[in-house]
Amino acid sequence: MKNRIPTCCVVLGLLLGPAFPPATCAQDAGVLPLPKPRIHGGKPLLEALQERRSTRAFRSDPLPPEILGNLLWAAFGVNRPDGHRTAPSAMNHQEIDVYVATADGVFVYDARAHALQKVHGRDVRAATGLQDFVATAPVNLVLVADWSRMSRVPEERKPVWSAVSAGAIVQNVYLFCASEGLATVVRGTFDESELARALNLRPEQKIVVAQTVGWPAGTAGTGAARPRHP
């Protein structure tokens, strides 16, 4: 009997395009593998720093899977064989989870697998902030600290230390966006209780900050899997 591709994988392939072909889709419909991250190229660091800025006007066009995968790897991906990441964390607790809110639902970035773990299929982008643009921007990242992982950190220091970890991730996102021609803004205004419910968080998970990413308004957007570089 021939192997059959699960219907869920066919659907994901149709929705997400050639970057997620049905034959390579994970058997678990809740796992969406991301294309292998691009770790070379981009603008020089000093140029990216010069162009780093906050933007609050976004196109609604979705980010292609390759760009989304590169964004998440830059934010807090694994960059060494020993499992260390692109952003530091105190005592290497790696307590920050990067939640990704899109029109297709909520996902958590699994850095070791370089994949998205689906939380649910509801569009909760509007709950990620109080500004109007969050509801239509293609991606809202929510950085969530899992205090249960911070076993060697005194309880009273967990808010500060997790905020420092999240800040490093935020800056990684800013520099990636500056390099790739994307727009982004970090945000601290949201209804914490509402957002925690929207993300299905546990009590020990604490929202630190949110960050919106997308194509800047007034541009055509590349719509391609990889942006051009000079």
Side-chain angles (χ1 to χ4, degrees):
M1 183 175 180
K2 294 183 178 180
N3 292 330
R4 297 182 61 189
I5 298 172
T7 302
C8 63
C9 294
V10 176
V11 172
L12 285 175
L14 292 173
L15 288 174
L16 298 175
F20 293 96
T24 60
C25 178
Q27 292 296 311
D28 182 354
V31 180
L32 280 65
L34 291 164
K36 185 177 180 180
R38 177 170 54 87
I39 59 175
H40 300 288
K43 292 182 180 177
L45 174 60
L46 295 181
E47 289 185 21
L49 285 167
Q50 175 64 31
E51 296 185 20
R52 190 221 67 82
R53 66 197 64 199
S54 293
T55 304
R56 295 171 177 80
F58 301 85
R59 293 174 58 87
S60 60
D61 309 55
L63 299 184
E66 184 174 349
I67 292 180
L68 179 59
N70 290 338
L71 166 70
L72 294 171
W73 180 85
F76 202 33
V78 173
N79 67 350
R80 282 158 282 178
D82 60 5
H84 283 69
R85 314 284 279 273
T86 58
S89 60
M91 302 180 188
N92 196 34
H93 280 110
Q94 300 183 9
E95 75 277 8
I96 301 296
D97 284 315
V98 181
Y99 280 73
V100 185
T102 73
D104 296 322
V106 173
F107 307 84
V108 181
Y109 177 50
D110 180 344
R112 293 184 181 276
H114 192 58
L116 291 174
Q117 300 279 350
K118 191 169 186 177
V119 177
H120 60 67
R122 303 190 305 276
D123 183 356
V124 301
R125 288 177 295 171
T128 67
L130 304 182
Q131 303 91 335
D132 291 341
F133 62 79
V134 304
T136 56
V139 173
N140 288 290
L141 306 178
V142 183
L143 305 187
V144 177
D146 188 340
W147 286 7
S148 67
R149 298 180 197 157
M150 305 175 76
S151 57
R152 291 173 288 168
V153 178
E155 199 69 21
E156 67 275 10
R157 300 298 296 168
K158 289 181 179 180
V160 173
W161 287 25
S162 58
V164 170
S165 296
I169 295 171
V170 164
Q171 182 69 339
N172 280 357
V173 172
Y174 265 107
L175 293 178
F176 176 83
C177 290
S179 176
E180 302 299 296
L182 295 171
T184 188
V185 63
V186 65
R187 303 181 286 96
T189 54
F190 44 79
D191 184 320
E192 187 170 357
S193 297
E194 179 186 4
L195 183 52
R197 288 192 297 271
L199 301 180
N200 292 351
L201 299 185
R202 305 184 309 275
E204 63 271 22
Q205 291 181 286
K206 312 295 181 182
I207 301 169
V208 183
V209 74
Q211 190 166 9
T212 303
V213 179
W215 304 110
T219 66
T222 68
R226 180 175 295 179
R228 298 184 300 272
H229 294 292

